[in-house]
Amino acid sequence: MKQAVKIGLLAVLMLTTTSAFSFELGGSLGYNLLLEDLDGGGLPAIETRVTFGDAADSIRFGAMISYLPIFDYELNTGFGSYSVSSASLCFMGFGKMTIPSSPLYAIAGAGLHMLSGDGSGSNLGIMIGAGFETPIAENMTLDIGARFHMILASSSVKMLTILGGINYKL
């Protein structure tokens, strides 16, 4: 595992020495909505990502780490109150396709959801989404988008995450 990480970092370092290859670091805050229960409202979500590839290409690749709270309920009974919650720490690889001459993009990925709380464990998951990026400074863009996450478990979990954040081009 450590060798694979070292080889991956070396390959990325070698690719960054070419003028066409670029990195983009991003971070977003937003709300995660459990689609089976829309009455509960959204819970705060966080996404960090790195995107890399040829800056001139419309298709780029990357990796993201997201914290996605799934639910957080407070149950009040005659015997007291109980808190029931679950969240996912998601590690995902993705592809991002930008529509030429447009700020719009589509994104799709797959990865691992590490579940905590009452549904603890790890499961595979997929994600599709869309959004738009608009420049706000020389090396920065405002990124607003939505992602549909589906955790592939015995009882699949479907979530919609609405995010806004900043991307910084290195």
Side-chain angles (χ1 to χ4, degrees), residues 18-103:
T18 66
S19 61
F21 189 84
S22 68
F23 269 113
E24 189 175 278
L25 299 175
S28 296
L29 298 174
Y31 282 97
N32 196 46
L33 302 163
L34 183 62
L35 293 179
E36 285 86 13
D37 180 23
L38 291 177
D39 324 353
L43 295 170
I46 299 171
E47 179 181 285
T48 59
R49 63 199 161 274
V50 60
T51 308
F52 48 90
D54 188 339
D57 286 345
S58 61
I59 297 178
R60 303 182 76 205
F61 298 95
M64 70 172 63
I65 300 173
S66 304
Y67 173 74
L68 306 170
I70 298 172
F71 59 82
D72 188 10
Y73 295 116
E74 185 73 30
L75 303 172
N76 293 313
T77 66
F79 302 106
S81 64
Y82 303 94
S83 178
V84 180
S85 65
S86 183
S88 169
L89 184 60
C90 173
F91 301 93
M92 189 165 288
F94 66 87
K96 181 178 177 182
M97 183 179 79
T98 305
I99 299 170
S101 303
S102 169

Side-chain angles (χ1 to χ4, degrees), residues 67-149:
Y67 173 74
L68 306 170
I70 298 172
F71 59 82
D72 188 10
Y73 295 116
E74 185 73 30
L75 303 172
N76 293 313
T77 66
F79 302 106
S81 64
Y82 303 94
S83 178
V84 180
S85 65
S86 183
S88 169
L89 184 60
C90 173
F91 301 93
M92 189 165 288
F94 66 87
K96 181 178 177 182
M97 183 179 79
T98 305
I99 299 170
S101 303
S102 169
L104 301 175
Y105 68 84
I107 187 169
L112 187 63
H113 285 267
M114 305 295 289
L115 301 174
S116 65
D118 300 326
S120 62
S122 62
N123 292 291
L124 293 175
I126 58 173
M127 175 270 301
I128 59 171
F132 76 95
E133 288 184 78
T134 185
I136 57 174
E138 184 179 339
N139 290 334
M140 279 196 208
T141 58
L142 175 65
D143 184 357
I144 297 177
R147 321 256 194 268
F148 171 76
H149 288 270

